[in-house]
């Protein structure tokens, strides 16, 4: 990584990031020559269809069965699959009749655990959409079954396959951010989060269909914004800090969309992590970590649905720099006023001499963001949804249980997000079981 | 985000370097708002399929990697390529999504597209797919499917002012009024249909413009072709080709176009000239079909 920095290019990480995308592609080519993986998709709603579309562009992926108990969605899935797979309304029947090698579970959250367990018991590899389960208890049960079966299991937290987030992690691990003390993440949108219902209000099926299609808005089926949105971003916190939080404080409410929903439309929380000191890298990144003792890092998270100004992003604040991350773009700002680490000075630290020049006058500015300086840009190519499936299929082919987001990672993610809901409901700080 | 008023839901949405404009008149605001959001998601999805600029789109991946080997295509991109290849043929090359970085239209000779096996390979080093305005039309057609799926009968969906898709009526059963900018013809009325305008401006130096094949006497100034058709993608295809070929050539081919498009092209209007003197020629396709 030092090479591109020395060249002074602002997009110095692009080539490195692109390398990981190319690597995933290359593995796939090799795997594509083998027998196709026989896959079934359970739940062919919005996300199920995203995954089906991505699968159809992957060599060596064969969709052999689809299951959805809502016929219009099942037909959508069949249309996108394009190869006329077998159709089912009942997932147990699908498992029994089709005996797929791998099953993708993309149903509402409350169904994940029972569908994953059935697929694992049928001997299948499982790709389960995030969040892993509706309760921590269920997630523990699924993780235990995965371990017992030594199964290939992956949770659909696709930032784990995204070249920008991987690049960010590499930068953290290389010490470029110094000690991470704080992370700020948010997903702010401006819409009701409601799906339309295909029959008019007053129709006898309206109430049933409304709950089915808007399952996200009701606690029986959903865990609200924390499970649907925050799970992605708090996974980044767990991943980058290499641990799970110890406790969470928070407040939430239904503040704007008072339309009969049960889940909050406005959530704010603070997580505390006990972080082990980073092992100081040697060589050009040396001397960039803290005092070597464990410390507390705090992660703030918010999601609102009445203003989209901040959008969705994560800011990773370290003593040496700040990473701004989104799925399509990363920016790295070096912390102003901090001594340049060796990597930024080409290995030369010239504090023992005074260099006399003609001098320079800086422009006066009232730009409130001037202290940030100009960032290094991180760009990458590729669709992380497709890439996470490529990685999953490679694990299925090689019977490699170490997927990019395994059951333990999924369980920790579920613990993290569900604890916030407990904190909102109780109004108290909630401890998270390590 | 949407603005809810007593008479309907209005929402604008940025995608495909265009501002989409969604107006759904009606009373059930919660329903219309949810449909408008669904339409925005669908437009974003179309962008992730067809954009050549989005590094996560399927088209971007094809443009980057299909030179090395044939790539598997999604059902949807296969469908879009099939429609574009057919249009390339029936417009005799005037509508072409195979381009190079300079924007030259290259034709399909260098493309190996198998729409049954759903694979594509690009055999010329600089060739790539650029769906251009077709992407907008494609997105509006998908949006129209959402309208039908959720029984929304009245809608005005716009793509950057040059593309409109109209459904049902504007208010109290009256048709939508369509006014073509830069033309002094009277507004016309439309209940259901799609409209697209392709335009170019010729300055003093016109010899470098190889994109149009017709040369009206006073070829300087504004050149425009507006088409109304049953689908928005078809309106984009026909207006692009109409701008390239000009009215005389299209008149001779209109029956064939009608045949090829399943009689879904309705009207075409050409405008050309300096702002002070705009010439026009309108063509009602139906009357030309025997
Ligand atoms: N990774 C991501 O970026 C991402 C994005 C969106 C959704 N998701 C996740 O995907 C999952 C599905 O979300 P969605 O937006 O597609 O919801 P959805 O409501 O659009 O789709 C869920 C589908 O499951 C079907 N279903 C419900 N009960 C069933 C049953 N008993 N048997 C078979 N099918 C059944 C429904 O009919 C529906 O078609 C959720 O867990 C969600 O969190 C992930």
């Amino acid at each position: 990584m030092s090479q591109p920095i020395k060249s002074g290019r602002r997009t110095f990480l692009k080539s490195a990031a692109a390398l990981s995308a190319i690597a995933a592609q290359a593995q796939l080519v090799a795997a594509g020559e083998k027998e196709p993986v026989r896959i079934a998709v359970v739940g062919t709603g919005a996300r199920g269809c995203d995954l089906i579309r991505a699968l159809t562009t992957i060599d060596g992926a064969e969709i052999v069965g689809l299951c959805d108990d809502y016929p219009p969605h099942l037909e959508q899935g069949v249309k996108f699959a394009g190869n006329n797979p077998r159709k089912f309304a009942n997932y147990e029947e699908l498992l029994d009749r089709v005996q797929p090698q791998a099953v993708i579970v993309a149903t509402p959250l409350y169904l994940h655990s029972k569908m994953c367990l059935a697929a694992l018991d049928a001997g299948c590899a499982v790709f389960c959409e995030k969040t892993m389960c509706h309760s921590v208890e269920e997630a523990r049960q699924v993780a235990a079954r995965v371990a017992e079966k030594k199964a290939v299991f992956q949770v659909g937290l696709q930032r784990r396959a995204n070249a920008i987030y991987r690049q960010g992690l590499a930068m953290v691990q290389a010490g470029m951010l110094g000690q991470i003390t704080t992370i700020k993440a948010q997903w702010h949108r401006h819409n009701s989060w409601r799906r339309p219902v295909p029959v008019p209000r007053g129709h006898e099926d309206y109430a049933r269909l409304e709950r089915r299609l808007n399952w996200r808005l009701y606690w029986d089926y959903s865990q609200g914004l924390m499970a649907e949105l925050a799970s992605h971003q708090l996974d980044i916190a767990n991943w980058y800090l290499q641990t799970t939080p110890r406790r969470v404080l928070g407040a939430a409410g239904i503040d704007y969309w008072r339309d009969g929903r049960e889940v909050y439309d406005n959530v704010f929380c603070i997580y505390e992590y006990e972080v082990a000191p980073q092992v100081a890298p040697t060589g050009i990144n040396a001397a960039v970590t803290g005092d070597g003792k464990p410390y507390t890092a705090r992660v703030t998270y918010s999601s609102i649905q009445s203003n989209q100004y901040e959008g969705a992003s994560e800011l990773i604040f370290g003593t040496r720099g700040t990473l701004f991350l989104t799925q399509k773009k990363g920016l790295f700002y070096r912390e102003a006023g901090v001594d340049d680490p060796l990597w930024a000075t080409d290995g030369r630290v010239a504090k023992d001499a005074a260099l006399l020049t003609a001098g320079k006058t800086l422009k006066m500015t009232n730009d409130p963001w001037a202290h940030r300086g100009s960032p290094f840009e991180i760009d990458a190519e590729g669709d992380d949804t497709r890439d996470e499936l490529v990685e999953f299929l490679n694990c299925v082919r090689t019977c490699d249980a170490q997927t990019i987001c395994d059951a333990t990672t999924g369980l920790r993610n579920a613990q993290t997000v569900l604890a916030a809901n407990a904190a909102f409901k109780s109004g108290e700080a909630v401890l998270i079981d390590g | 985000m949407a603005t809810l008023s007593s008479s309907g839901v209005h929402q604008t949405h940025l995608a495909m370097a265009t501002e989409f404009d969604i107006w759904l008149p009606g009373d059930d605001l919660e329903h219309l708002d949810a449909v408008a959001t669904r339409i925005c998601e669908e437009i974003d999805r179309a962008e992730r399929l067809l954009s050549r600029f989005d590094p996560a789109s399927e088209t971007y991946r094809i443009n980057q990697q299909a030179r090395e080997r044939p790539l598997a295509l999604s059902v949807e991109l296969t469908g879009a390529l099939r429609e574009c290849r057919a249009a390339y043929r029936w417009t005799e090359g005037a509508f072409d999504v195979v381009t190079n970085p300079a924007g030259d239209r290259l034709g399909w000779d260098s493309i190996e597209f198998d729409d049954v096996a759903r694979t594509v390979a690009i055999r010329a080093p600089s060739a790539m797919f650029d769906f251009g305005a077709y992407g907008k039309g494609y997105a509006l057609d998908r949006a129209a499917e959402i309208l039908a799926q959720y029984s929304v009968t009245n809608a005005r969906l716009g793509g950057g002012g040059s593309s409109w898709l109209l459904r049902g009526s504007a208010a109290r059963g009256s048709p939508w009024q369509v006014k073509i900018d830069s033309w002094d013809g009277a507004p016309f009325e439309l209940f259901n249909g799609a409209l697209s305008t392709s335009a170019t401006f010729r300055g003093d130096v016109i010899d470098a413009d190889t994109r149009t094949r017709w040369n009206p006497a006073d070829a300087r100034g504004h050149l425009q072709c507006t088409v109304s058709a049953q689908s928005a993608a078809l309106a984009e295809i026909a207006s692009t080709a109409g701008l390239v070929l000009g009215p005389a050539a299209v008149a001779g081919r209109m029956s064939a176009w009608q045949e090829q498009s399943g009689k879904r092209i309705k009207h075409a209007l050409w405008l050309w000239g300096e702002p002070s003197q705009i010439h026009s020629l309108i063509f009602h396709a139906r009357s030309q079909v025997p």
Side-chain angles (χ1 to χ4, degrees):
Chain A
M1 216 182 297
S2 57
Q3 195 60 32
I5 295 169
K6 273 192 255 170
S7 75
R9 283 172 45 208
R10 288 176 57 195
T11 53
F12 72 110
L13 294 160
K14 184 170 181 170
S15 49
L19 271 180
S20 42
I22 289 165
Q25 185 64 32
Q27 283 169 25
L28 173 69
V29 179
E33 289 157 9
K34 300 186 190 137
E35 285 285 292
V37 176
R38 302 175 64 254
I39 307 159
V41 181
V42 182
T44 57
R47 186 59 179 169
C49 284
D50 284 346
L51 297 168
I52 290 169
R53 282 192 293 269
L55 286 170
T56 58
T57 69
I58 299 175
D59 290 327
E62 185 187 357
I63 301 174
V64 291
L66 298 180
C67 169
D68 200 297
D69 65 349
Y70 181 57
H73 286 181
L74 185 57
E75 288 315 316
Q76 276 285 92
V78 170
K79 187 182 97 184
F80 288 124
N83 62 343
N84 210 13
R86 294 179 69 185
K87 301 186 278 184
F88 298 87
N90 179 302
Y91 68 98
E92 283 163 325
E93 215 173 296
L94 172 143
L95 292 173
D96 188 42
R97 301 252 191 100
V98 177
Q99 303 195 340
Q101 220 175 328
V103 173
I104 290 180
V105 175
T107 50
L109 180 61
Y110 78 109
L111 293 169
H112 288 188
S113 68
K114 72 171 181 181
M115 290 177 169
C116 287
L117 290 172
L120 290 166
D121 288 345
C124 302
V126 175
F127 178 99
C128 173
E129 257 311 331
K130 55 73 359 204
T131 296
M132 188 161 140
C133 293
H134 192 256
S135 72
V136 173
E137 207 30 65
E138 288 176 351
R140 284 213 177 92
Q141 209 185 340
V142 170
R145 195 72 55 88
V146 169
E148 180 196 320
K149 300 267 178 193
K150 299 189 172 55
V152 174
F153 183 90
Q154 186 172 315
V155 179
L157 290 162
Q158 66 267 29
R159 282 160 184 73
R160 295 255 171 181
N162 183 302
I164 288 173
Y165 286 90
R166 286 182 175 184
Q167 188 66 62
L169 180 71
M171 292 166 72
V172 168
Q173 290 176 339
M176 290 174 71
L177 273 78
Q179 179 171 316
I180 298 172
T181 55
T182 312
I183 294 177
K184 174 184 176 298
Q186 83 294 324
W187 199 323
H188 290 187
R189 306 181 301 184
H190 197 154
N191 66 50
S192 72
W193 211 22
R194 269 195 178 278
R195 297 263 173 93
V197 181
V199 297
R201 231 176 269 280
H203 187 282
E204 58 179 343
D205 287 333
Y206 183 86
R208 182 182 61 82
L209 282 173
E210 195 282 321
R211 275 182 85 85
R212 160 179 268 279
L213 296 168
N214 284 308
W215 60 269
R216 278 177 180 72
L217 305 182
Y218 303 101
W219 290 119
D220 281 350
Y221 322 118
S222 167
Q223 291 286 359
L225 292 168
M226 293 309 295
E228 292 308 308
L229 303 186
S231 52
H232 286 295
Q233 299 169 287
L234 293 169
D235 180 50
I236 302 306
N238 288 1
W239 193 22
Y240 281 23
L241 294 172
Q242 306 251 310
T243 184
T244 36
R246 268 185 328 143
R247 66 172 199 147
V248 56
L249 324 155
I254 304 172
D255 298 337
Y256 184 75
W257 296 100
R258 299 179 202 171
D259 56 3
R261 74 187 55 203
E262 294 172 0
V263 304
Y264 309 121
D265 66 1
N266 184 325
V267 300
F268 275 74
C269 52
I270 305 171
Y271 287 92
E272 287 179 342
Y273 286 70
E274 200 62 31
V275 182
Q278 196 185 339
V279 178
T282 52
I284 58 167
N285 288 331
V288 294
T289 49
D291 62 8
K293 296 184 187 138
Y295 67 96
T296 303
R298 289 189 180 81
V299 175
T300 67
Y301 186 80
S302 63
S303 185
I304 64 173
Q305 292 185 278
S306 48
N307 179 295
Q308 61 190 353
Y309 175 76
E310 284 201 285
S313 61
E314 301 85 38
L315 276 164
I316 320 289
F317 299 103
T319 50
R320 289 206 167 269
T322 302
L323 253 180
F324 169 85
L325 295 168
T326 70
Q327 276 171 291
K328 290 197 170 175
K329 184 92 189 172
L331 298 172
F332 174 62
Y333 296 87
R334 283 171 51 196
E335 187 67 357
V338 172
D339 264 359
D340 279 340
L342 295 179
W343 56 259
T345 56
D346 208 10
R348 291 174 284 106
V349 186
K351 286 224 172 70
D352 52 355
L355 180 63
L356 192 64
T357 70
K360 58 183 173 187
T361 308
L362 297 177
K363 251 199 206 138
M364 293 293 283
T365 172
N366 55 7
D367 170 7
W369 307 124
H371 65 278
R372 291 177 177 176
S374 48
F376 293 110
E377 298 182 29
I378 312 173
D379 290 297
E381 293 168 358
D383 167 8
D384 50 20
T385 291
R386 183 177 185 277
D387 290 342
E388 68 174 341
L389 288 172
V390 168
E391 303 236 13
F392 171 67
L393 294 177
N394 284 340
C395 287
V396 175
R397 282 196 191 92
T398 54
C399 298
D400 181 356
Q402 286 203 317
T403 59
I404 55 167
C405 190
D406 62 13
T408 308
T409 307
L411 166 62
R412 290 184 178 147
N413 178 255
Q415 286 178 308
T416 305
V417 299
L418 298 179
N421 279 343
F424 302 148
K425 286 176 184 172
S426 68
E428 316 227 315
V430 168
L431 295 179
I432 299 167
D433 194 0
Chain B
M1 69 130 315
T3 309
L4 277 55
S5 73
S6 57
S7 51
V9 168
H10 184 227
Q11 181 150 357
T12 55
H13 185 68
L14 289 176
M16 300 181 170
T18 297
E19 184 171 81
F20 285 86
D21 183 291
I22 300 160
W23 166 235
L24 308 178
D27 304 325
D28 188 346
L29 300 185
E30 184 179 285
H31 179 64
L32 296 175
D33 182 46
V35 171
T37 302
R38 204 35 217 97
I39 285 174
C40 295
E41 288 169 5
E42 196 64 4
I43 291 170
D44 289 343
R45 210 178 61 70
E47 181 174 35
R48 279 197 303 277
L49 183 75
L50 298 177
S51 166
R52 78 177 174 90
F53 300 106
D54 177 355
S57 82
E58 187 173 352
T59 296
Y60 187 96
R61 194 171 59 82
I62 299 294
N63 282 341
Q64 295 295 309
Q65 293 172 15
R67 272 182 216 98
E68 295 152 28
R69 63 201 168 87
L71 292 188
L73 289 168
S74 67
V75 171
E76 218 179 346
L77 194 57
T78 304
L81 286 174
R82 194 185 287 132
E83 182 171 33
C84 290
R85 185 178 60 181
Y88 172 77
R89 289 175 181 158
W90 60 257
T91 63
E92 294 160 54
F95 171 81
D96 187 6
V97 295
V98 184
T99 69
N100 63 14
D104 304 317
R105 305 287 141 180
L106 302 184
W108 282 67
D109 287 351
S110 62
I111 305 298
E112 283 170 24
F113 170 48
D114 183 336
D115 63 344
V116 178
R118 294 206 316 266
T119 58
V120 71
I122 299 174
R123 295 302 181 199
S126 63
M128 63 178 181
F129 292 108
D130 178 355
F131 289 97
Y134 171 83
K136 269 197 300 185
Y138 184 89
L140 290 175
D141 286 339
R142 298 292 78 71
E145 289 173 359
I146 305 282
L147 294 173
Q149 210 175 331
Y150 295 104
S151 310
V152 175
T153 46
N154 303 323
R156 188 200 67 196
L157 309 179
S162 60
S163 312
W164 291 101
L165 187 137
L166 304 172
R167 286 288 178 270
S169 55
R172 291 180 299 280
S174 57
W176 298 98
Q177 301 287 315
V178 180
K179 169 85 182 95
I180 295 178
D181 197 25
S182 70
W183 186 44
D184 54 10
F188 59 94
E189 297 182 339
L190 200 64
F191 283 102
N192 288 297
L195 295 145
S196 160
T197 289
S198 294
T200 183
F201 184 81
R202 287 180 167 183
D204 286 341
V205 184
I206 56 167
D207 52 9
D209 189 349
T210 53
R211 307 230 174 120
T212 56
R213 299 186 202 160
W214 60 298
N215 285 297
D218 46 357
R220 282 182 195 142
H222 186 73
L223 277 186
Q224 170 177 330
C225 177
T226 297
V227 169
S228 91
Q230 270 178 358
S231 95
L234 186 60
E236 296 295 344
I237 290 169
S239 70
T240 305
L243 181 69
V244 172
L245 295 171
V250 173
R253 290 168 172 89
M254 206 57 167
S255 311
W257 283 23
Q258 283 280 290
E259 202 67 38
Q260 294 292 333
S261 69
K263 299 200 170 32
R264 296 183 303 146
I265 298 173
K266 299 297 178 197
H267 312 279
L269 165 76
W270 283 263
L271 301 174
W272 67 95
E274 303 278 2
S276 55
Q277 198 191 7
I278 293 278
H279 306 278
S280 68
L281 200 150
I282 191 159
F283 198 90
H284 303 283
R286 263 205 206 114
S287 60
Q288 303 292 320
V289 179

